[in-house]
């Protein structure tokens, strides 16, 4: 049997995909049914933690809100962060009660050590966090601070990206936020000599605190 060239292999693969897409029976197959996507089990939080940490993110599971701010204070001390920056009044109030210094310079992102926000949803299968511009954080908070800390609840977990988008559609209907962003791990690039670099186009660290009581 004559061995196929790399070009022929690629063309044959494209041809098979095109034929499959033309098959009506394949049109009803959702992406989570594909073999490449593993089925999410009943423990969404365990799946989320595993997938997030697989892409260099960190997931801190907390027993309740009090424990979450206690562990957050411990993280601030461990990393020797001078302060945290937030635009969310509710988060700021709880940070102060936990004895955590809050950054007051509104737009001076250059000097911020870490930013903290809430989120809309967590996607278990990909270890992603979905944020948008509907809250007080806007667009900058998810991009500029070198460390992005997210406070979330276990009730915000969904299995797949499709579930998250459907939930957003149901919540906002025709008044969707101007920007919806799905973040999967810290910012990364391997453009230069195929060397992976974190923090090239955004936060170098992504840390998600999840309150499993809510």
């Amino acid at each position: 049997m004559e061995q196929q060239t790399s070009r022929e292999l690629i063309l044959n693969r494209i041809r098979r995909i095109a034929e499959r897409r033309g098959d009506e029976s394949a049109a009803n197959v959702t992406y989570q049914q594909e073999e490449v996507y593993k089925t999410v089990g009943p423990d969404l939080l365990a799946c989320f933690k595993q997938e997030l940490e697989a892409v260099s993110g960190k997931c801190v599971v907390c027993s309740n809100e009090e424990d979450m701010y206690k562990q957050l204070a411990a993280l601030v001390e461990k990393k020797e962060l001078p302060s945290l920056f937030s635009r969310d009044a509710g988060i700021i109030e709880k940070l102060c009660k936990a004895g955590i210094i809050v950054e007051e310079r509104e737009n001076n992102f250059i000097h911020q050590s870490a930013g903290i926000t809430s989120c809309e949803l967590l996607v278990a299968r990909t270890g992603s966090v979905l944020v948008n511009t509907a809250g007080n954080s806007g667009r900058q908070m998810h991009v500029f601070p070198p460390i992005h800390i997210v406070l979330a609840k276990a009730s915000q977990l969904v299995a797949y990206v499709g579930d998250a988008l459907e939930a957003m559609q149901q919540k906002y209907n025709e008044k969707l936020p101007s920007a919806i962003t799905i973040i999967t791990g810290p910012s990364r690039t391997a453009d230069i000599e195929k060397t992976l670099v974190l923090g090239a186009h955004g936060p170098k660290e992504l840390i998600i605190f999840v309150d499993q009581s809510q």
Side-chain angles (χ1 to χ4, degrees):
M1 182 177 179
E2 185 178 351
Q3 188 174 4
Q4 291 181 315
T5 65
S6 297
R7 181 176 182 275
E8 289 171 336
L9 287 171
I10 293 171
L11 290 175
N12 286 334
R13 187 177 300 174
I14 294 172
R15 190 177 297 110
R16 287 196 299 270
I17 292 172
E19 290 172 353
R20 182 180 175 185
R21 287 180 177 174
D23 184 359
E24 291 183 1
S25 62
N28 296 321
V29 178
T30 58
Y31 71 88
Q32 55 260 55
Q33 292 174 292
E34 295 285 352
E35 186 177 344
V36 69
Y37 289 95
K38 299 176 184 177
T39 302
V40 176
D43 194 340
L44 294 181
L45 181 53
C47 179
F48 174 79
K49 179 178 175 65
Q50 177 181 324
E51 296 299 328
L52 174 62
E53 294 181 349
V55 291
S56 303
K58 183 177 181 181
C59 177
V60 181
V61 179
C62 310
S63 56
N64 51 45
E65 185 177 77
E66 181 181 357
D67 180 47
M68 182 166 66
Y69 280 91
K70 182 179 179 180
Q71 292 202 55
L72 180 57
L75 176 74
V76 170
E77 182 178 359
K78 180 180 179 180
K79 288 185 171 292
E80 299 181 342
L81 300 174
S83 63
L84 297 180
F85 180 77
S86 179
R87 288 176 172 168
D88 188 308
I91 292 178
I92 292 173
E93 181 181 357
K94 292 171 184 176
L95 288 174
C96 292
K97 286 183 179 179
I100 300 171
I101 299 175
V102 180
E103 174 64 61
E104 297 180 355
R105 290 174 289 187
E106 169 63 20
N107 292 314
N108 199 348
F109 285 99
I110 295 175
H111 299 288
Q112 287 177 17
S113 52
I116 183 167
T117 72
S118 59
C119 68
E120 190 72 49
L121 294 163
L122 302 175
V123 183
R125 182 60 191 90
T126 56
S128 305
V129 54
L130 190 148
V131 298
N132 60 50
T133 53
N136 298 324
S137 296
R139 302 168 188 253
Q140 297 168 316
M141 285 295 295
H142 312 121
V143 178
F144 282 95
I147 301 175
H148 182 196
I149 299 171
V150 179
L151 303 184
K153 304 173 184 177
S155 59
Q156 293 175 294
L157 279 160
V158 296
Y160 297 98
V161 172
D163 300 325
L165 297 178
E166 287 180 10
M168 290 291 291
Q169 186 67 54
Q170 291 176 6
K171 179 177 180 179
Y172 293 99
N173 199 7
E174 296 180 358
K175 297 182 179 179
L176 288 169
S178 60
I180 298 173
T181 305
I182 297 176
I183 303 170
T184 306
S187 171
R188 64 189 61 222
T189 184
D191 292 342
I192 302 175
E193 297 183 353
K194 297 182 181 180
T195 300
L196 182 64
V197 178
L198 298 180
H201 308 297
K204 188 174 183 178
E205 292 185 63
L206 176 65
I207 307 171
I208 314 292
F209 284 78
V210 183
D211 178 356
Q212 63 179 346
S213 72
Q214 299 187 49

